Amino acid sequence: MAIQPIETRYKGHRFRSRLEARWAVFMDHLGVPWQYEPQGYVVDGQPYLPDFLVWPDTDCAFWLEIKGTFPGKDELTKARGLAQGTGITAYVYWAKPEPPAPDLSHLTDSEYCGFDEDGYVWTDDAGWREYPTLPPAWQRDLWPTAFRFDPGERAAKRKDKSGFWWWTDCPHCGRALIKSQGQVGWCPAYDHLDWDARMEKFGSPYPSFAHRSPRLLAAYQAATSARFEHGESGA
Ligand SMILES: [Zn+2]
């Protein structure tokens, strides 16, 4: 039996799934510009139409492929080829449009880096599993949200690895961007400054969680509560 999601209309677009439409609502709430299916490509002989191009024509443009479930190997291979072929970072994102983690702003520096004896190991489909290696304790209840693929030769050789890629509210430029573990890190708007200049201007960028700002939480709320008219398929 073949089963497929019903199209969802929002803002004049016909999204292939309600989940995609919810992420569009989310980005609109944050003032994040996006294009839906702006361009199809042939990647290694296979046609590929990526879902969103986010922050198009800016220094932080990225592809955002939305999946309802953990992506398969072929989907990851296409996204890798997309990033390599277009020179634009690509995410394959399967988390729900909900805050990806609790408030972690209470963590101290040493808890943030924290190592201990127990040992856990990463598995891509399920997150941390017990075994000897050393993620900090605060990460162990978290689940990976996405695969990220960067352009460039070095990234091309990197093994597929999922991670904690969260929407993050940059306090420096006001843009909502996807960043590792919701860390503000360095704002791309200040990439032209060297390390010392950035340290002087902003102080150390870690740890600095920004995945639960009021406007991000409001955007998640808007995305999950959005009501859409019924899609239809040609009738
Ligand atoms: Zn910024």
Side-chain angles (χ1 to χ4, degrees):
M1 186 178 66
I3 182 167
Q4 64 184 84
I6 295 175
E7 286 183 348
T8 297
R9 285 190 193 167
Y10 169 66
K11 269 183 78 174
H13 294 272
R14 292 162 69 109
F15 292 93
R16 288 172 200 279
S17 72
R18 197 142 291 208
L19 182 61
E20 291 175 0
R22 291 198 187 285
W23 281 114
V25 170
F26 174 87
M27 290 188 279
D28 281 349
H29 205 88
L30 295 163
V32 172
W34 50 266
Q35 297 170 351
Y36 183 64
E37 297 185 342
Q39 175 67 54
Y41 297 93
V42 176
V43 179
D44 293 335
Q46 299 295 316
Y48 182 29
L49 185 56
D51 294 334
F52 291 98
L53 180 59
V54 183
W55 291 108
D57 306 317
T58 71
D59 58 343
C60 51
F62 58 89
W63 297 103
L64 182 61
E65 181 69 27
I66 297 297
K67 295 291 170 201
T69 55
F70 190 79
K73 180 73 190 163
D74 56 328
E75 292 164 323
L76 300 178
T77 302
K78 281 193 293 188
R80 176 182 292 272
L82 179 70
Q84 289 298 324
T86 62
I88 296 173
T89 291
Y91 292 93
V92 181
Y93 209 96
W94 68 89
K96 292 185 178 135
E98 295 169 359
D103 180 8
L104 297 163
S105 55
H106 58 276
L107 290 179
T108 63
D109 286 13
S110 57
E111 284 169 335
Y112 174 73
C113 303
F115 299 99
D116 70 22
E117 317 286 310
D118 309 349
Y120 282 70
V121 73
W122 184 262
T123 64
D124 262 332
D125 52 344
W128 298 115
R129 287 286 173 79
E130 261 179 289
Y131 204 76
T133 181
L134 306 163
W138 62 271
Q139 292 188 6
R140 292 179 198 157
D141 294 330
L142 303 175
W143 295 74
T145 57
F147 286 85
R148 170 178 165 141
F149 298 98
D150 287 313
E153 260 175 59
R154 270 178 60 201
K157 291 177 195 147
R158 221 172 275 151
K159 187 171 167 289
D160 294 351
K161 188 174 182 299
S162 66
F164 301 132
W165 295 104
W166 305 342
W167 283 91
T168 304
D169 204 348
C170 180
H172 305 306
C173 65
R175 292 181 293 191
L177 304 168
I178 295 179
K179 294 206 166 186
S180 180
Q181 303 171 354
Q183 292 295 296
V184 172
W186 294 121
C187 173
Y190 296 94
D191 274 352
H192 59 285
L193 299 178
D194 66 18
W195 177 273
D196 290 342
R198 286 182 292 189
M199 280 296 279
E200 191 174 335
K201 194 170 171 61
F202 304 116
S204 171
Y206 303 102
S208 179
F209 291 96
H211 61 290
R212 294 181 68 95
S213 69
R215 71 184 194 121
L216 272 176
L217 294 178
Y220 283 117
Q221 178 62 32
T224 49
S225 61
R227 294 283 171 270
F228 305 99
E229 52 184 300
H230 284 293
E232 33 75 29
S233 42

